[in-house]
Amino acid sequence: MVSPRDDKLTTKIEDLRNSLGEKTSRKLELDKCNRLVKRLNILSSECEKCYQDFIDLEKHITELADKTDQLTKTDFKQHSQKLESISSHLLKEHKLVSKDYYLSIYMSLGLSIGLIFGLLFDNLSLGLPIGLGIGVAIGAGLDADVKKKGKII
Ligand SMILES: [Zn+2]
């Protein structure tokens, strides 16, 4: 179920992607941008901040689209700050998680534990991969779970 408002902005982002090319689009994280738009649109009926963020993002995308051939470093910086601030609101207030969030946490946790045990038993070549393996298994499991619940940004 996509509302026209959401649809319009998604189209705008796709237009932007077409005129900027793949490389710049990736730099601007337009995929993430699209996902944020969908989230904000769904949440704006119940959250004032999301509502404001949506309008803000809409204005921002329109501005970018107006000057695609003359984007400056400042534009890129502003853009990533905007995405960052929207993401952090979604993470904090709406209990969403970013993609591979648990995987990255448990991978480094697994590595640290593997390191400790590796040092303890004087066998790093065994400790590290076991720690990493367990970390990946737990992290990937949790990620799959939040994905199933539709909690990934
Ligand atoms: Zn919100």
Side-chain angles (χ1 to χ4, degrees):
M1 203 175 59
V2 182
S3 86
R5 191 164 156 250
D6 171 358
D7 230 11
K8 221 172 104 196
L9 188 47
T10 306
T11 313
K12 216 173 254 182
I13 293 173
E14 287 314 310
D15 286 347
L16 192 61
R17 189 202 301 277
N18 289 333
S19 51
L20 287 176
E22 198 50 45
K23 202 172 152 214
T24 318
S25 304
R26 221 171 329 184
K27 209 164 152 196
L28 287 171
E29 298 184 276
L30 291 185
D31 288 334
K32 186 174 174 187
C33 220
N34 253 333
R35 293 199 301 274
L36 291 179
V37 165
K38 290 204 172 65
R39 284 290 175 191
L40 289 178
N41 188 47
I42 293 167
L43 292 164
S44 30
S45 57
E46 48 181 274
C47 173
E48 182 66 21
K49 174 86 169 64
C50 284
Y51 179 72
Q52 285 302 332
D53 277 348
F54 188 98
I55 294 174
D56 197 36
L57 191 61
E58 197 171 30
K59 195 169 144 250
H60 168 70
I61 297 287
T62 311
E63 277 168 12
L64 284 184
D66 282 342
K67 52 175 178 182
T68 44
D69 46 355
Q70 42 191 330
L71 292 178
T72 62
K73 269 206 170 91
T74 321
D75 290 319
F76 282 104
K77 204 169 155 213
Q78 266 181 357
H79 180 79
S80 78
Q81 277 169 350
K82 218 164 267 283
L83 294 189
E84 198 54 49
S85 113
I86 294 173
S87 299
S88 80
H89 168 75
L90 292 176
L91 296 175
K92 251 191 287 183
E93 301 297 324
H94 300 289
K95 307 270 179 287
L96 298 176
V97 295
S98 44
K99 195 169 169 280
D100 294 334
Y101 168 76
Y102 289 110
L103 188 63
S104 58
I105 290 181
Y106 279 90
M107 246 170 77
S108 48
L109 194 67
L111 268 182
S112 320
I113 292 172
L115 183 69
I116 293 168
F117 277 95
L119 290 173
L120 211 60
F121 296 104
D122 200 19
N123 197 341
L124 275 181
S125 57
L126 194 63
L128 284 180
I130 289 180
L132 183 64
I134 295 174
V136 167
I138 297 176
L142 289 171
D143 279 333
D145 190 47
V146 288
K147 191 173 179 195
K148 212 160 57 190
K149 290 179 185 153
K151 291 276 188 187
I152 304 263
I153 285 189

